[in-house]
Amino acid sequence: AQAENGHATALLASGRVRQARALYLAALARAPGDGRLALNAGLASLRAGDRRGAVALCREATLRLPGDADAHGCLGAALGSLGPSFALEAETALRRALALEPVAPDRSYNLAVLLVAMGRSDEGRALLEVTLARDPAHAGARAALARVTARP
């Protein structure tokens, strides 16, 4: 399973998302308790457009890897991709990821983007500013902050 994980990771890095996803899922079938494989399969599923599959896999990863910020971030991103009715659960997952890695700029950025999408612009703006304080070159945070501050 580990060799397949490595091969799938290489495929994903080269942009062959669907092939990587299939290989991760095959590896996970052979090692069903492997939280890292579940996480990787979830991330690949999200990139492949299988949002519901990504939620299931990322949720499994959080159960297998409860202290892993990437697993909770994956779950938050997957839930957030399902739309407004999943926003509160996505927020919970992204807040958990941020709590596990409080100084990681992408953690505060991802939560900020969700909060803005939920109409909580002031909270989102504050987290975007935190993100830029930690990483002044964070292009996503710069662009999101410009959009938020341009709104009436």
Side-chain angles (χ1 to χ4, degrees):
Q2 292 310 313
E4 288 170 310
N5 184 51
H7 185 196
T9 300
L11 286 170
L12 194 60
S14 70
R16 296 164 67 187
V17 176
R18 293 196 188 284
Q19 289 173 301
R21 178 179 174 270
L23 197 52
Y24 282 131
L25 291 172
L28 186 59
R30 282 187 270 299
D34 190 321
R36 187 64 48 195
L37 279 173
L39 172 59
N40 290 344
L43 291 168
S45 293
L46 189 58
R47 286 185 56 189
D50 179 9
R51 299 176 306 188
R52 291 198 183 278
V55 168
L57 290 160
C58 295
R59 192 179 309 281
E60 180 182 339
T62 65
L63 296 173
R64 303 269 181 214
L65 306 167
D68 189 287
D70 289 335
H72 292 278
C74 176
L75 180 58
L79 286 164
S81 76
L82 293 177
S85 60
F86 294 89
L88 291 177
E89 192 177 356
E91 179 185 357
T92 299
L94 292 174
R95 284 194 186 281
R96 177 72 178 135
L98 180 59
L100 290 166
E101 283 187 347
V103 296
D106 283 343
R107 302 292 177 214
S108 53
Y109 169 73
N110 292 335
L111 179 56
V113 169
L114 177 69
L115 291 171
V116 169
M118 293 170 69
R120 293 160 57 189
S121 296
D122 290 342
E123 289 176 81
R125 180 184 302 119
L127 276 174
L128 290 168
E129 290 169 354
V130 166
T131 302
L132 288 170
R134 292 181 180 143
D135 181 2
H138 196 292
R142 283 201 175 286
L145 186 59
R147 285 189 304 273
V148 169
T149 54
R151 291 182 182 173

